[in-house]
Each structure stands twice: as C-alpha cells, then as structure tokens.
Amino acid sequence: MNKIKMTTPIVEMQGDEMTRLIWDWIKEILIEPYVDLKTEFYDLGLVERDNTNDQVTIDASLAIKKYGVGVKCATITPNTQRMSEYNLKQMWKSPNGTIRAILDGTVFRSPILVNGITPYIPTWEKPITIARHAYGDIYKNVEAKVAKGGKAKLVVEDENGTREIEIFDYSKTAGVCMGMHNTDSSIISFAKSCFNYALETNQDVWFSSKDTISKIYDHRFKDIFNEVFENEYKEKFEKAGIEYFYTLIDDAVARVVRSNGGFIWACKNYDGDVMSDMVATAFGSLAMMTSVLVAPDGVMEFEAAHGTVTRHYYKYQKGESTSTNPIATIFAWTGAFRKRGQLDNNAELVKYADAVEKASIKTIESGYMTGDLALIFKNDAVKVVKCETKEFLTKIAENIEL
Ligand code: NAP
Ligand code: MG
C-alpha cells in the first residue's frame, strides 16, 4: 500500500508516563503503516523540560503558531512530589498554561460518543462542547477578610479620574470581600475563538453569563460577544446555517439539560470549570473527552482531556498488565490530521482521519474495549472483551477501511 503523503508538518509534542507509551504505540500501530508521517518533534516530557529550563515548551508553542496545527500528549504538571521524583531544578509551570498564554487560545472539550455508553441524560444524542474562557475572574482575584467595624471600597483610577465605590460597610459584623478583573482583549479573543470553532465544526454557539445581576462586568462580556459577532461573523454564520445566541447562565443550564446536544456552550472561567466536569461526567468517561485549543487566528492544538494516567504507569513499571484507554489520544491525532489535511487540501489525509475515528468507534461497539469502558458499556447483544492497550490498538487497526 502507498502511504499517504503530507506536505506540511504537524507539531508533535511528546509527553509523560502512561500516555508517553501510548503515544508511541499509536504511531507504530495506527499511523506509520498508513501515513508518511511528517512532524516537527518536541519532547515535552518532564525530563526534557527540566533539561532545557522549559525552553522546549516555548519553542513548541512558537512552532504551532508557525505551522498552524499541533498535537500534544498529556504531560506532568510538577508539584512538590514531582520535584523529588524527577529531581527538578524548578517547579516548572503547566505546559498547557504556557502554550495557552503564547497562542492566546480557548480550550474546547467534547465527548466522543459510542453506542453502548449512554450519557446519564438520555436525550444527549450529540456531543456538547464546552468552551471555557481561560483568563481572569476569580482565578486572578484579590481577596481579604474584613474585621467588624471595617469598610471595603473599590478604588478605580483611569483617564476619567479616581472613583471610590463602597463595597460594604461591616459595622455590624466581620466578613470577606473580593476584587476581580478581566480585559476587553481577552474577552475579544475568547469570542473569536468560539465563533471560529463554530464555523470549523458547523455548530451553534450558546454564550451565557449573569448580566442581569452583574450589570457592568458580565454585561461587558455580553456586549463584546455581540459586537464581535455582528461585525465579523454574522454573515459567515448565516452562510453556514448556524446560530449564535446569548442567554442567562441559569436558563442555559436548563436548556442544556433538555437539549439533544450538538452545540458549543461558551462559559465564563468559573462556569466553564464547573460545567465541563459536569458535562464530562454525564457523558460517561474522562478517557473519552477530547480537547482542542483554538487561537483567535485559527491556529489549533489537539490533545486528550485526561492526564498522564500515573496510577496505570506505576502498575506498568511493576510489570502488571494495563488497560489504559487510548481513544482521546487517538482522536487528538486524527483531529490534527484532519485540520492539516483541510489546510493543505490533502483529501487523503482527511479521509484517513475519518477512517481511524470510525474504526475506533466500531471496535468498541463490537465489544473490544479497555477496562474503563468495559465497566460502563451496556449492550446485551454484544460480548465484551477487555483488552490491554496494545491489543486494543491492533483491533482498531484491523477495522480501518481506507
Ligand atoms: P489522570 O491522568 O487523568 O488520571 C486520573 C484517573 O482517571 C486514572 O487514575 C484513571 O482511573 C482514570 N483515567 C484517566 N484517563 C484514563 C484513560 N485514558 N484510561 C483509563 N483510565 C483513565 O489524572 P491524574 O492522575 O490526576 O494526573 C496524572 C498526571 O497528569 C498529573 O501529573 C497531572 O499533572 C497530569 N495532567 C496532565 C494533563 C494534561 O497534560 N492535559 C491534564 C490533567 C492532568 P483509575 O486509576 O481508576 O483507572
Ligand atoms: Mg476543575
């Protein structure tokens, strides 16, 4: 068989632990037999990040900006325990945080649906994609305790002069107060990323906040989304037959639960934190969630939503058999191939990406799956066979139809 040719490289970022092994197995079993793989390789494993003083993460991020498409393996975000485990020079920052800061992107998470794994909400027939604004609000807040008899004020200094606004008078009781911020430029980037990804995936966008209560702060988000949409996206959306609409967060929650799925739900930072875990759990499994970082200029970086699956890795190191689910990592690769194929007019590469995804789903639906899925899979007509990771990948390869 002639291997599929690539014209432009994908930026490939290797990672850590169990997912580092799975990464190589996916390449060996599902990619290299079919594709003449062209990547620009960066090792984002913790050892190499420490060796290069994390320069490798910055270089990889700049490469994604240059080529437009990246695919990343899960990586360790160091904590004190990792400092001693890897004898690190420094507690390096989360690679995802570094990449996000350089690309200025928004993360979109969507579940992969298969028959046999039913969402807890049975009407959810299509995936719900959560777009979480990843800057500001309570994640960059300042806060303080205030003693009884105290006062808290908000002081704003800008070209319009100095304003002092009373937050609360604590004359009767002690309490707490908080200050938070966001920026127009970050909200504009967020809005653009959401609208670009909607056009990319042909889905509606819902955006929710609490502008009836927060008449300046949340209202600014609502206004910016509206302006960006009216000025740059309205016509494109009409052409694509998709919609943008704004609603209050509590109304959005009720609508989401009643919906059939198939849309992008753009959330403010805190709402996105909470709702993404709720949606992921309700769809069944973290190992079946994909994640894509979309920059306002359309650059994309694909990965799995889960981590390096440390617990399985320690078992693997002891020689025990492991059945770690590679699906989200496979879909990170196929997402990157599809996007690369679309940018390069490489129809064969797009077709290959579709075929691997189809084969992955078919393999699970025919009963071959990893242990995490075997626990939740329900279809009386299908006999479930729990596979080790490599065995599962081989089964998928057998189902690829090009
Ligand atoms: P995790 O790697 O997502 O794993 C947590 C648990 O979820 C696993 O122990 C496993 O449960 C289950 N699980 C997750 N992915 C699975 C898969 N593909 N197949 C089967 N089961 C799966 O989270 P963690 O253990 O909290 O974090 C481990 C490391 O990953 C940390 O160093 C963290 O910094 C890093 N991390 C990286 C990213 C990223 O790069 N995007 C994201 C999150 C975490 P059972 O043990 O019950 O089987
Ligand atoms: Mg969270």
Side-chain angles (χ1 to χ4, degrees), residues 29-263:
I29 298 167
L30 292 182
I31 300 174
E32 280 158 355
Y34 306 91
V35 181
D36 203 355
L37 185 61
K38 210 173 183 174
T39 69
E40 189 159 301
F41 181 85
Y42 294 87
D43 185 356
L44 263 51
L46 189 49
V47 175
E48 188 60 13
R49 276 182 277 149
D50 198 48
N51 283 340
T52 63
N53 296 327
D54 211 21
Q55 186 61 37
V56 65
T57 311
I58 294 164
D59 293 345
S61 311
L62 296 174
I64 305 171
K65 237 182 160 34
K66 177 175 164 195
Y67 291 111
V69 184
V71 60
K72 179 181 167 291
C73 177
T75 46
I76 293 169
T77 299
N79 53 18
T80 36
Q81 183 248 321
R82 301 296 197 170
M83 289 290 289
S84 48
E85 184 184 353
Y86 283 82
N87 193 19
L88 299 177
K89 293 184 227 165
Q90 210 177 300
M91 204 184 290
W92 305 110
K93 280 190 275 182
S94 145
N96 290 54
T98 304
I99 298 169
R100 202 161 57 214
I102 291 174
L103 297 183
D104 186 23
T106 299
V107 173
F108 296 79
R109 286 185 159 195
S110 347
I112 299 153
L113 304 190
V114 295
N115 287 324
I117 296 164
T118 317
Y120 287 94
I121 296 178
T123 51
W124 286 1
E125 290 157 9
K126 284 173 274 178
I128 294 169
T129 300
I130 299 257
R132 174 184 173 188
H133 185 213
Y135 179 81
D137 303 353
I138 62 162
Y139 302 87
K140 287 246 187 284
N141 72 352
V142 288
E143 43 187 28
K145 280 188 176 172
V146 187
K148 185 177 173 183
K151 241 184 206 170
K153 290 177 193 166
L154 190 64
V155 182
V156 180
E157 292 171 7
D158 62 11
E159 61 184 22
N160 303 315
T162 302
R163 279 151 287 161
E164 270 192 27
I165 306 156
E166 182 176 294
I167 297 174
F168 195 70
D169 182 342
Y170 296 81
S171 54
K172 294 202 180 90
T173 170
V176 283
C177 71
M178 178 196 288
M180 40 181 219
H181 80 281
N182 224 299
T183 65
D184 285 3
S185 62
S186 175
I187 303 166
I188 291 169
S189 292
F190 175 44
K192 286 186 178 176
S193 296
C194 291
F195 294 140
N196 285 339
Y197 194 62
L199 288 167
E200 186 86 25
T201 56
N202 212 52
Q203 298 184 87
D204 293 347
V205 175
W206 303 12
F207 176 54
S208 54
S209 77
K210 195 71 180 175
D211 67 289
T212 47
I213 300 298
S214 171
K215 291 189 170 62
I216 295 177
Y217 196 109
D218 277 22
H219 213 284
R220 188 78 194 124
F221 278 78
K222 178 182 175 179
D223 287 345
I224 287 177
F225 262 73
N226 201 44
E227 274 164 34
V228 171
F229 181 72
E230 291 290 328
N231 294 340
E232 289 177 48
Y233 291 93
K234 197 175 180 192
E235 279 172 28
K236 292 179 196 161
F237 267 51
E238 274 168 9
K239 244 188 223 154
I242 56 175
E243 278 184 6
Y244 163 65
F245 86 96
Y246 173 85
T247 186
L248 286 168
I249 178 76
D250 37 357
D251 178 52
V253 170
R255 283 173 188 256
V256 165
V257 170
R258 287 195 309 262
S259 78
N260 301 120
F263 53 88

Side-chain angles (χ1 to χ4, degrees), residues 72 74-75 77 82 287 303 306-312 324-325:
K72 179 181 167 291
T75 46
T77 299
R82 301 296 197 170
E303 63 174 324
H306 61 76
T308 60
V309 210
T310 312
R311 216 177 62 82
H312 293 210
T324 315
N325 190 338

